[in-house]
Amino acid sequence: MNVFNSLSRRVEALEPLADNTIRLYTCGPTVYNFAHIGNFRAYTFEDVLRRVIQFNGMKVRQVMNLTDVDDKTIRGANAQGVALTAYTKTYKDAFFADLKRLNVQPAEVYPAATDHIPEMIALVEKLMAKGVAYQSDDKSVYFKVREFPGYGKLAHIDFDHQQTGLRCAADEYDKENVGDFALWKAWEPSDGPVGWDSPWGRGRPGWHIECSAMSMKYLGETFDLHTGGIDNLFPHHENEIAQAEAATGKPFVKTWMHCAHLRVNGEKMSKSLGNFFTLRDLLDKGYTGREIRYVLINAHYRSGLNFAFSALDDARKSLARIDACVEKVGKWESGKAGTCAFAQKCLDDFTAAVNDDLNLPKAFAALFELVRETNAALAAAETAGFDAGEVLRVFRRMDEVLGVIFFENEKKAVEVPADVQSLLDARAAARQAKNWAESDRLRDVIAAAGWLVKDSKDGQSVSPKQ
């Protein structure tokens, strides 16, 4: 398995440092609002990465943080006049529900920043003791960028052409502000009730120290792999490296991977442009988590992804084609003689693609080649060489990475709520009366309730949105 390492800027083999386990840290959400589809581009990339690691027989220990204290969460909680924990809980719960809808495998640990303040204070103390941090006249504690010789190695910053010597108290800033950054931010009136006691006075941790402290707590002082969106590369990930390595004297992370931005209809996503969408916005428009996941992963993670509703419509058609093929194979008598050489060839091509720096476009091409060859075999008058069990095995093996294929015989029975069943009965009556407008209206009402209706020659069936 080869991946592009942002630190070396080379494609390298991803091999565990120990125990056949990749220790993986992924930057999670700042829980001040519902996550948007740009965020989920990163989270689905990381899910595919996790799945490919497992696909190759390695284990994964994944840690994804929840940033529940920073400038944005404090502003939001104080604006609503509620406790920080109550404010962020809404968005934490929504985030986990969204991950489930997108079929994202859960991480082993989801540490929240507010649960790890002692670890952050201890890390700042180490940095103070080593002389790479100082308390300023505003009582905040800053990291001395110039005291860490390796600063800039991830972002490949040329200090001679950057503005330096500044103090950056804000949690987020841009490449023009290469300066000392806050490790511990002194309490100020705008923080309201949010704050913790420390050796430097009451305050709260800076954003960057959170990830360094929590990743090392759960994965060790040196671990295999750290990921995130390209927007996190600088300053956030650069600062993580500086804090961790200055404190321990050891390499922090072996491999760094970053995914590119998502754009909507060729433009940067922005509320002012009216092209800002959360996952639930798309679900409310009748799309499913499976369709959204298909679009988010069906591009190379290091290439920009241009999101459009037409892509979701195309995803629906593509998934229907895959579903139809898998359903036909499932109905075929398993155990037929033959090796289905085409299935193994497709799996070999798929494996080569995902192991080549997660080349998902080529992986999907291998999947659709399997669909084409399978349909051709099933349509042939003579299918003596067709082994349905082998073909299904290959579909399942591919889906270990993709997480988008629907296997009818593995669907769990679900109980349809009484109110949804009443709507279904009314829709059946409307169709019987050939009242197609009412049938379509009821279908939309059922979809808004979280259920999808499928019509066939045998009548209508319903399933929860995936």
Side-chain angles (χ1 to χ4, degrees), residues 212-232:
S212 295
M214 292 189 291
S215 62
M216 289 194 291
K217 174 181 174 66
Y218 292 101
L219 299 175
E221 293 179 342
T222 300
F223 57 92
D224 303 89
L225 180 59
H226 195 315
T227 65
I230 193 66
D231 53 313
N232 280 332

Side-chain angles (χ1 to χ4, degrees), residues 152-300:
K153 62 185 176 183
L154 180 64
H156 296 257
I157 293 172
D158 179 0
F159 278 106
D160 293 336
H161 295 86
Q162 295 290 330
Q163 187 177 1
T164 61
L166 304 174
R167 286 180 188 158
C168 301
D171 285 325
E172 299 177 66
Y173 51 92
D174 60 32
K175 286 188 177 182
E176 297 305 313
N177 294 325
V178 181
D180 297 348
F181 56 89
L183 301 169
W184 184 263
K185 301 180 72 171
W187 183 89
E188 52 189 47
S190 61
D191 291 339
V194 179
W196 291 264
D197 293 329
S198 80
W200 316 283
R202 190 159 180 80
R204 54 100 171 172
W207 173 41
H208 311 295
I209 200 73
E210 298 177 5
C211 286
S212 295
M214 292 189 291
S215 62
M216 289 194 291
K217 174 181 174 66
Y218 292 101
L219 299 175
E221 293 179 342
T222 300
F223 57 92
D224 303 89
L225 180 59
H226 195 315
T227 65
I230 193 66
D231 53 313
N232 280 332
L233 189 149
F234 185 88
H236 183 50
H237 291 165
E238 193 72 60
N239 292 352
E240 281 189 61
I241 293 173
Q243 295 161 157
E245 295 188 357
T248 69
K250 302 175 183 178
F252 180 41
V253 177
K254 179 184 175 186
T255 303
W256 291 82
M257 295 177 68
H258 296 88
C259 69
H261 290 295
L262 176 146
R263 300 176 73 84
V264 178
N265 294 322
E267 297 182 301
K268 183 177 179 180
M269 189 164 56
S270 167
K271 289 182 180 180
S272 63
L273 293 176
N275 65 355
F276 183 96
F277 301 107
T278 65
L279 182 68
R280 55 207 61 227
D281 290 333
L282 302 183
L283 295 172
D284 289 343
K285 292 180 181 293
Y287 296 104
T288 68
R290 190 167 69 121
E291 292 162 351
I292 298 165
R293 177 186 175 89
Y294 183 100
V295 172
L296 292 177
I297 68 173
N298 196 0
H300 196 281

Side-chain angles (χ1 to χ4, degrees), residues 9-237:
R9 297 197 173 181
R10 293 193 302 265
V11 174
E12 301 171 348
L14 182 63
E15 298 173 342
L17 291 170
D19 304 328
N20 196 39
T21 300
I22 296 293
R23 291 167 176 82
L24 166 64
Y25 189 85
T26 53
C27 279
T30 300
V31 284
Y32 74 102
N33 206 335
F34 298 111
H36 56 70
I37 56 174
N39 302 135
F40 286 112
R41 201 273 161 106
Y43 304 141
T44 52
F45 142 65
E46 291 158 347
D47 180 60
V48 168
L49 171 62
R50 174 191 172 95
R51 288 166 175 263
V52 174
I53 293 169
Q54 295 170 327
F55 184 84
N56 280 280
M58 294 177 280
K59 298 177 183 177
V60 180
R61 177 169 172 76
Q62 181 183 3
V63 177
M64 176 181 279
N65 71 298
L66 303 172
T67 298
D68 57 355
V69 56
D70 80 324
D71 295 342
K72 294 176 181 177
T73 55
I74 293 172
R75 283 198 302 265
N78 292 342
Q80 291 188 13
V82 298
L84 182 66
T85 52
Y87 176 77
T88 58
K89 184 179 186 302
T90 297
Y91 302 114
K92 288 178 184 177
D93 292 346
F95 174 68
F96 288 120
D98 288 347
L99 290 184
K100 188 173 182 180
R101 291 187 183 99
L102 290 172
N103 195 22
V104 172
Q105 292 183 350
E108 280 64 37
V109 188
Y110 288 101
T114 53
D115 293 331
H116 296 79
I117 302 298
E119 289 86 351
M120 298 169 199
I121 290 175
L123 182 53
V124 177
E125 287 180 315
K126 283 185 179 181
L127 295 171
M128 290 284 282
K130 288 179 177 287
V132 294
Y134 63 93
Q135 187 169 21
S136 70
D137 49 9
D138 68 0
K139 303 303 180 184
S140 295
V141 179
Y142 292 86
F143 184 90
K144 295 181 184 178
V145 167
R146 286 294 186 183
E147 293 297 318
F148 181 68
Y151 193 82
K153 62 185 176 183
L154 180 64
H156 296 257
I157 293 172
D158 179 0
F159 278 106
D160 293 336
H161 295 86
Q162 295 290 330
Q163 187 177 1
T164 61
L166 304 174
R167 286 180 188 158
C168 301
D171 285 325
E172 299 177 66
Y173 51 92
D174 60 32
K175 286 188 177 182
E176 297 305 313
N177 294 325
V178 181
D180 297 348
F181 56 89
L183 301 169
W184 184 263
K185 301 180 72 171
W187 183 89
E188 52 189 47
S190 61
D191 291 339
V194 179
W196 291 264
D197 293 329
S198 80
W200 316 283
R202 190 159 180 80
R204 54 100 171 172
W207 173 41
H208 311 295
I209 200 73
E210 298 177 5
C211 286
S212 295
M214 292 189 291
S215 62
M216 289 194 291
K217 174 181 174 66
Y218 292 101
L219 299 175
E221 293 179 342
T222 300
F223 57 92
D224 303 89
L225 180 59
H226 195 315
T227 65
I230 193 66
D231 53 313
N232 280 332
L233 189 149
F234 185 88
H236 183 50
H237 291 165

Side-chain angles (χ1 to χ4, degrees), residues 328-463:
K328 285 188 289 185
V329 176
K331 291 178 179 178
W332 187 263
E333 182 183 353
S334 297
K336 290 283 186 179
T339 59
C340 277
F342 71 83
Q344 186 59 51
K345 171 65 166 55
C346 292
L347 181 57
D348 290 344
D349 291 345
F350 180 90
T351 301
V354 298
N355 284 343
D356 179 20
D357 194 28
L358 309 187
N359 193 327
L360 267 293
K362 284 190 175 180
F364 272 103
L367 169 62
F368 280 103
E369 179 65 12
L370 178 62
V371 170
R372 189 188 70 79
E373 292 281 1
T374 299
N375 284 334
L378 290 171
E382 176 58 57
T383 56
F386 185 77
D387 184 338
E390 173 67 8
V391 173
L392 282 176
R393 183 191 70 82
V394 172
F395 273 116
R396 288 194 179 94
R397 184 76 170 129
M398 291 180 173
D399 201 52
E400 290 176 18
V401 171
L402 302 177
V404 297
I405 301 178
F406 175 65
F407 297 96
E408 179 71 30
N409 64 328
E410 296 175 0
K411 180 181 176 182
K412 296 180 180 178
V414 293
E415 183 177 349
V416 179
D419 57 339
V420 174
Q421 187 58 56
S422 295
L423 292 168
L424 286 167
D425 293 341
R427 184 172 184 271
R431 292 181 65 80
Q432 182 68 26
K434 300 189 184 305
N435 187 345
W436 308 121
E438 177 65 3
S439 170
D440 290 345
R441 185 190 73 80
L442 288 168
R443 180 197 59 211
D444 293 341
V445 173
I446 294 167
W451 295 77
L452 291 178
V453 179
K454 181 179 180 181
D455 295 312
S456 69
K457 62 181 181 180
D458 299 320
Q460 65 182 4
S461 60
V462 67
S463 60

